[in-house]
Amino acid sequence: MKKIVLGFILGFGMCLTVTVSAESAKEFILTNLKFPVFLNGSEYVNNDLPFMNYKGNTYVPLKITGEILGTRVNWNEEHRRVEIGTPVQNDKLEIIQNYKRQNINAIDFQGEIFVSFSRYLDEYTGGRQYFTYDADKKELIAKHVGKSIVINDGAITGSQGFIHYGTTYVKESVINEILDLIKMESEKLAEKEEYQKLKNYFKVDNKTLLPGNTTVSVTSAFSSNNQSVLDDVAELINQLGDDAQLLFEFYAQEIQKQNPQYGLQINFFILGDRVHDIGIVQIDANGVIKNSNIVNKVDVSKVNLN
């Protein structure tokens, strides 16, 4: 398979004078391609700025790359650097304070609303537990639905997310789309046999209203004097893996709806020879999950009666 590398800078219509030592200078020999390149079904030919081959990789002039992708490519003489995309001045960003909730800031950029990622999820929608950050790729990853959000160093045209004065802002519509997909995935999982098994194992009998009369506390512990049954419960959680989090949360939300005027704090355990902590889910009176920490694996060898 041929590889395309976007990175060989040609065609800026300028000549740069750079002084380098003989020790640091390197010579790269590129050759003409021996195969055609098709763009949207038509062969692409540019004799002035041709695509080139270097050790099996196809190099594309950045200027042409910008034209193909519809992205601005520019040489910044002041900073002596190549800039891809449209740089945005801070005065082009409209800051919106207390957006939808107290302490949630948002930015209006090119007619799109970008919200403070952590604050928006913590204070408004819930769901922060579904995202992890890949520092190498600079991406927020929602593993349950296979989605990722690229976080740019600044606001540029086409951004889904960017850093502004140390805070991560993400397009509100993108966050809500991913949260909707996760909700749909939870509902699909709840239709499966595994969910009914989980509900049968972790029945809720007692509820305690915590001081302050705002939150109901529940302990949902499964216990058995039958080793094979204990093994079955542990194996169910292991089988669910990351989906265990979605199903325990879905179950907790069902319980919270029984007393919708109160928030809910529910702790899940398996009781064998000792207490095996499965996790905790906390939901506010609006049904929003504020905190969730559920294991995705149980050591079956340690869930025993001896």
Side-chain angles (χ1 to χ4, degrees), residues 31-50:
T31 59
N32 291 325
L33 294 183
K34 296 181 180 180
F35 54 86
V37 174
F38 280 74
L39 176 62
N40 296 326
S42 300
E43 184 175 358
Y44 181 87
V45 178
N46 188 320
N47 294 325
D48 294 327
L49 298 174

Side-chain angles (χ1 to χ4, degrees), residues 219-238:
T219 297
S220 182
F222 175 79
S223 63
S224 175
N225 57 7
N226 186 321
Q227 182 65 56
S228 65
V229 176
L230 287 173
D231 292 344
D232 288 344
V233 177
E235 287 291 353
L236 173 62
I237 295 173
N238 291 342

Side-chain angles (χ1 to χ4, degrees), residues 58-230:
T58 300
Y59 278 71
V60 182
L62 271 178
K63 181 178 180 180
I64 301 303
T65 300
E67 292 176 1
I68 292 173
L69 300 179
T71 300
R72 177 178 178 273
V73 178
N74 183 59
W75 170 253
N76 187 318
E77 179 63 30
E78 179 182 356
H79 296 288
R80 298 191 64 77
R81 67 188 183 195
V82 174
E83 296 175 342
I84 302 174
T86 304
V88 177
Q89 302 298 323
N90 289 337
D91 59 5
K92 301 292 185 182
L93 304 176
E94 181 183 347
I95 307 299
I96 306 171
Q97 296 183 337
N98 299 325
Y99 178 75
K100 293 188 176 179
R101 286 284 192 279
Q102 188 76 16
N103 299 324
I104 299 177
N105 288 341
I107 292 176
D108 185 334
F109 171 53
Q110 296 183 339
E112 295 278 4
I113 298 298
F114 290 75
V115 293
S116 172
F117 177 74
S118 298
R119 288 283 188 180
Y120 186 76
L121 294 179
D122 290 346
E123 304 292 336
Y124 186 56
T125 62
R128 188 175 179 181
Q129 69 274 15
Y130 303 132
F131 294 88
T132 57
Y133 183 66
D134 187 321
D136 293 330
K137 294 182 179 180
K138 294 186 177 180
E139 290 181 346
L140 284 166
I141 299 171
K143 60 184 177 181
H144 292 291
V145 290
K147 296 287 185 178
S148 61
I149 304 170
V150 176
I151 305 299
N152 301 116
D153 291 330
I156 61 173
T157 300
S159 288
Q160 288 190 324
F162 56 82
I163 305 293
H164 181 67
Y165 287 117
T167 298
T168 298
Y169 287 85
V170 176
K171 190 182 293 187
E172 183 181 26
S173 61
V174 172
I175 293 178
N176 291 336
E177 177 187 352
I178 291 176
L179 293 179
D180 285 344
L181 289 173
I182 292 172
K183 181 181 179 182
M184 291 171 58
E185 183 64 20
S186 298
E187 291 171 347
K188 280 194 227 174
L189 290 170
E191 294 175 356
K192 295 185 177 181
E193 179 184 0
E194 289 80 3
Y195 180 56
Q196 192 57 52
K197 287 182 179 179
L198 183 147
K199 290 176 66 175
N200 290 336
Y201 287 140
F202 293 92
K203 292 181 179 178
V204 173
D205 296 320
N206 299 315
K207 299 178 182 179
T208 303
L209 192 60
L210 293 177
N213 298 329
T214 59
T215 303
V216 172
S217 177
V218 177
T219 297
S220 182
F222 175 79
S223 63
S224 175
N225 57 7
N226 186 321
Q227 182 65 56
S228 65
V229 176
L230 287 173

